[in-house]
Structures are given as C-alpha cells and as structure tokens.
Amino acid sequence: MWRAVGVFRLVTLAYAAVLILRDHQRYAHPLGGLMTLAVMAAWSALVTVAYARRSTRRPWIVGADVAVATALILATRLVDTAARIDHGAATLPVCWAAASVLACAVAGGPWAGVAGAAVVSAADLLERQALPRNTFNGIVLLFIAGTVGGHVVRLVLRAEAALDRAARREAATAERRRIARDIHDSVLQVLALVSVRGRELGGEAAELGRLAGEQETALRSLIALPPSPAPDGRLDVRTLLEPLAGDRITVSCPAHEVLLPDPAARALAAATGEALDNVRRHAGPDARAWVLLDDEGEVVAVSVRDDGVGFEAGRLVRAAEAGRLGVAQSIVGRIRELGGEASLTSAPGRGTEVELRVPRTASPREEVDHRGR
Amino acid sequence: MDADGSPRLLVVDDHPIWRDGIAERLAAGFSVVGTAGDGAQALRLARATRPQLVLLDLHLPDLAGAEVTRRLLADDPSLHVLVLSASGERQDVLDAVTAGATGYLTKSASLDEVVAAVRSAAAGEAVFTPGLAGLVLGEYRRLVGTPEPETPRLTKRETEVLRLVAKGLTYREIAERLVLSHRTVQNHVQNTLTKLQLHNKAQLVRYALEQGLD
C-alpha cells in the first residue's frame, strides 16, 4: 500500500512539474513556482524513503506530510497572480496534495484519511476564498480518497493477517500429519498386532493384548486432527463422528468430506453421541453399535444401530408422556431445532435404531424462533 | 490352488513384524507363496508365483495401494486382491476398491475374521465390511453431484441393501428384513462394487484416449 502511495506521489509530482514548468513565466513570482516544485520533489523523495521502511514510518511524518501539502497549497497565493487564481487556475501542487491524504488513510484508516482530507480541503478553500465547481469536485474526491483508501487498507491488512494465520495453521497441520503418519506406520501397527495376537493366545497374553488395544485407541485419538472449520464456517461431520468409534462401535463414513454449518454439525454429532450413550446404558453389555454417516445431498443422515436387547415400541412414548423426556428430548429435540427429523425404531431382542436427518443448510436458531419459544 | 487344495496367498506389507506375523498365522489354512515389502516386489513375486489372492497393505514405500492393485489385476485378471490395512485413509481404501480390490479389512480384525475374509475373497466374493459399505455408498452419493456424464447409479434396492450392510447387518439379517434370498442380497452388494469398478476402468480408458496413448 505504501508503494502505491509512492507511485501516486511520483505521478502527481510529474503532472504538477509539467504545469509549473509550462506556466511559471506567467506567475507573479516565477522563481517561487520553481522553488515550490523543488520543495515538492525533495519532500516526495524524503517521505517516500521514510514510508518505505516500517521503522521510519512515524505518525509525525504523516502529519508533516499533510502540513507540507497544506503549506504549498497556501503558497499558491504568494506565487501565482490573483487574477489567474480567481480565474480558476489550479493550485501549485495540483493533485500532489492528495498523496498526503492517502498517506493518512494508509497509516491510520478511514478516519485519519477523512481528517487529512479535511485539512487539505480547508487549505484549498482558504487559498481560493471561494468555492468554484472544480474545487468542490476536488474536495469531494479528496474525501472519497481518504475514506476509501483507509477502508481498502483495513481490508488488505485483515486479509494479510488471515492469510498469515492460515499459512501458520497449514504448516502446523502438515507437521502434525507427518508425525501422525509416522506413528501410524510404526507404533500403531505393533500395538494392533500385539492386541490381536494377545487375544488369540488367551490367558495373560489376552490381558496384555487388551492393554495394547486400549493404548492403540488412545494414541489413535491423540494423533487424530482436531475438527477445524473450513473458511466458510462449515465443519466436516466426519471429523466429529470418527472419534466416537471404539472397540464395539463401528463408524462408517464417505471418503469425501461432509460439510454442515458448524453449530449444526456439532449438534448432530452430540445427538449421535447421546444415542451411543443410550446403547451403552440400555442395550446390554455385549451390544455392538454401528454409526453410518450418509450424505444424501439435500439431507445429511446419521443412523445409529445396535444389536442389543431393544425395547417395546410404546415404552419411549410412555416415558415421554410421563414427563421423563430423557432420550426423546435431547436427541429428538436437538435434531428438530436444526429443522431435521429424528426417528427411533426398536423391538424387544432386535436392537434399536436411531435415524437422524438434518437438512444441508441447517441452522439451529431460526427453527427455534419460528416455533415462538 | 496347491496340491493340498489350499488357496495360494501373497502377503504384501512394508511392516516386517506385521508381514511375517500375518503370514505365519495364515500358513495354517493357506499356502503362503511369498511375502513382499513394497509394490515393485509384490508385482514381481505375483508374476513368479501366480497367487490366487494378494493380501495387500495400502501403505507401501514405492507405489500407491490402488496402483499396485491395478497393475496386479492387469497382469492377471483372475487374481483377487484383499486390502488389509491399518490406514484410516478412506480415500486410499476407496481408490483400491474401485481399482478392483474385492474387499477391505482393518488390521484390528481378529484372525478368524481375516481367515473368513481371505476364504471368501479367494472364492471371488466381495468382502463387505460396514466401513467399506459406507465408503461405496458415499462414492455413489458423490457421483450424483458431479457433472460427469454416464456416472453409475444405485437402484433403490441397492441403496437399501448397502445402507443395511453399513449399519452392521449380516446378509442373513438383510435377507430376512427385505424378504429376499441370501443370494439376491449378495448379488446386490456385488453389483454395487462391480459398477464402480467398471466406471473406474472406463474413465481410465477415456483418459488414455484423450491423452492419445492407446
């Protein structure tokens, strides 16, 4: 951005130089005109160098920049003839003065830009002692340059910061992935082998195998990447469901990412986790469970099935009627708040199946508002 | 098959402890004709020993698992490839399966499960774990969303069957629930895989033609 200000300054300096060299014979003080040009050139060189480096980029230099521009505008009265000025001749620096307004904007944002524009415009008015149309236009343009310039700088800075953060995160993620791969290829494989082999051998070896299996699961979840939202704030549901897998729980997902708005993804995963808690609590000690994440396009569906003891169809309804909402409220409630549907089917001895369906564009708060809660 | 009638097996894994461990444990029921630590060695050994089944780990130092699968099958189309991998990399598994592998097991599977899977894979049957069903289902869902022409589609029945496999039901339970024969369920499952593999092959051919390397 500073470079852009520098370029603008050079171009406007050249324009002012052309005008001064062409007209200085007609000034009241031709030499004054040339001196003004020399001051402009020297100041341009000085500040361009000062602005180029962060260490020399001081607020007072920006202030001085505005002051010099203002002084040169006011100097027009001294150098040029009153007749020419009243006839609408340009001020000596012409649009070179706008460079200082841009410098304000770049240094301090839109408000500083407006302040710079106000000072330079005031000098313009003072020099003219009137408000002809072209001066008015010039003033409007100065204010626009001040505000827009400041805004653009803010945006650029914000974008740069975001890019920087993203690059850092990317590097950290890549490193973590590399470590995960290494662990995956070495320690995890051995732990898996010990676990499988130990269980086969039985006895004390089975106990060792069980320990190895637990460590394998623990290490696996340790090296798994934490769920992080995409730049648009959506979250891959898979990253939330995969950690739910365990010895008796299988999680099946597509190979591609399944994105939902962050809160919806978390609510869906939380409902899934609760369904699995219910399996642990009610399905019996030997029950296994399967979680399927199915991306149907318009709808993202998660089903949780177990092969446990199951229950009579009416029991849950009765529990809900009796006010002991428990399962029904937290699972079904969460999903309904997302504008989705949840259903539960079961029969004694045939396990239980929970199906959660959430629209792709789900957002939690709207649905709550619609129902006027 | 070998003289004693046991299927001929090649074990490919870059991890020596695993490779030897699994080869040793399978030696009881199968004839392990060789073990390989990388893709190139696997391809050489497969040509030399003509196994019926290759037990393939997807993580190899030289070649991607899917590429090894493709080349093995190009050399010998009657071969079966069963992926046995610790890899949680779903895309790798899916790639290997669309390249022609007949199934996928994780390394945490018990020996009984591995033996059963090797038997059915050697017989040419798809080994469909719930995890694999989820991947295959997901791939069809993804294809629906792509602009590519002539992508394979699942029938309603196939979707239903695949979802039930992914939810952990056995073929017998699915047959019971949908009032179908066991064989029909098996065919549906097999079809879903075959369609994906054909599509993959057709895409490779189309790509080759477009690049002018026929």
Side-chain angles (χ1 to χ4, degrees), chain B residues 76-89:
Chain B
D76 180 3
S78 72
L79 185 75
H80 299 295
V81 177
L82 178 63
V83 172
L84 179 65
S85 185
S87 166
E89 289 296 319

Side-chain angles (χ1 to χ4, degrees), chain A residues 184-185 189 193 196-197 200 220 242 252-256 290 292 294-296 303 305 350 353 355, chain B residues 15 17-18 25 59 86-87 90-91 107 111 130-131 135 137-138 141-142 163 166-169 176-177:
Chain A
H184 207 279
D185 295 341
Q189 305 243 5
L193 183 69
V196 173
R197 196 83 182 100
E200 281 165 25
R220 204 178 276 277
E242 275 162 3
S252 306
C253 297
H256 60 270
W290 292 267
L292 167 64
D294 186 7
D295 177 5
E296 297 178 11
S303 87
R305 190 188 81 90
R350 312 195 60 134
E353 199 171 324
E355 175 102 8
Chain B
H15 204 278
I17 300 181
W18 245 103
R25 286 147 74 214
H59 186 274
S87 166
R90 299 172 192 283
Q91 192 60 51
K107 282 190 173 173
L111 182 61
L135 286 177
L137 182 64
R141 301 291 200 200
R142 187 187 68 80
R163 288 199 77 180
K167 290 184 200 175
L169 277 85
E176 200 178 301
R177 197 188 267 208

